[in-house]
């Protein structure tokens, strides 16, 4: 049995909608064709919302430039999540790295040096 990942599942659904549109285009103008067009629009809307929900559950950030929300894609060269529709960026801020000894390391260095720390003089 073949397992499908989220992107494969989405692609299969999109292909199905494309096939339904091709079938619709072969129908003559009239009420039946209009009804099918409305149903296809509802299916596309549902798929778009499902894509956004799936992306959120997979840990993607969502851009709220339109409804339903658009998944933001990671761009390594820019170190940012970018919306493919509006270009909004969510940059990743790097945390400062502490340079030097922390208090535990300073205590260890004092013990190793054999001198005590004088609280009054600071030495």
């Amino acid at each position: 049995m073949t397992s499908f990942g989220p992107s494969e599942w989405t692609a299969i659904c999109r292909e199905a909608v494309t096939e339904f549109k091709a079938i619709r285009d072969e129908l003559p103008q009239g009420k039946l064709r209009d009804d099918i067009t409305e149903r296809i629009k509802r299916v596309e809307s549902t798929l778009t919302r499902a894509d956004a929900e799936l992306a959120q559950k997979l840990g993607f950030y969502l851009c709220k430039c339109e409804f339903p929300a658009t998944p933001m894609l990671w761009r390594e060269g820019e170190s940012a999540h970018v919306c493919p529709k509006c270009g909004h960026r969510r940059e990743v801020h790097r945390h400062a790295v502490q340079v030097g000894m922390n208090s535990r390391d300073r205590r260890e260095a004092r013990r190793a040096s054999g001198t005590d720390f004088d609280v009054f003089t600071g030495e």
Side-chain angles (χ1 to χ4, degrees):
M1 183 166 132
T2 304
S3 63
F4 294 106
S7 60
E8 290 88 3
W9 181 254
T10 301
I12 290 169
C13 292
R14 297 274 177 221
E15 286 178 33
V17 169
T18 302
E19 289 297 319
F20 286 128
K21 285 181 179 180
I23 293 168
R24 175 207 56 200
D25 292 343
E26 294 176 7
L27 294 173
Q29 295 290 339
K31 183 168 174 30
L32 178 61
R33 184 173 177 161
D34 294 341
D35 289 344
I36 290 174
T37 300
E38 275 304 309
R39 288 181 178 182
I40 289 173
K41 285 181 184 177
R42 283 196 308 254
V43 167
E44 285 179 318
S45 176
T46 301
L47 280 175
T48 306
R49 286 193 308 271
D51 285 348
E53 186 175 339
L54 176 63
Q56 186 178 27
K57 287 183 180 181
L58 291 174
F60 285 81
Y61 291 107
L62 299 179
C63 182
K64 297 173 182 152
C65 61
E66 62 181 32
F67 183 81
T70 305
M72 298 176 81
L73 305 176
W74 175 252
R75 291 196 183 155
E76 184 65 34
E78 301 175 32
S79 293
H81 301 275
V82 181
C83 176
K85 293 190 178 178
C86 73
H88 177 78
R89 301 166 44 85
R90 181 182 177 114
E91 295 184 8
V92 175
H93 300 286
R94 306 286 181 199
H95 297 288
V97 177
Q98 178 183 355
V99 178
M101 294 190 288
N102 60 26
S103 61
R104 185 173 145 227
D105 292 338
R106 282 193 294 274
R107 280 194 308 270
E108 298 273 333
R110 278 195 305 273
R111 271 192 224 128
S113 69
T115 59
D116 288 334
F117 181 74
D118 186 354
V119 251
F120 298 107
T121 62
E123 298 175 6

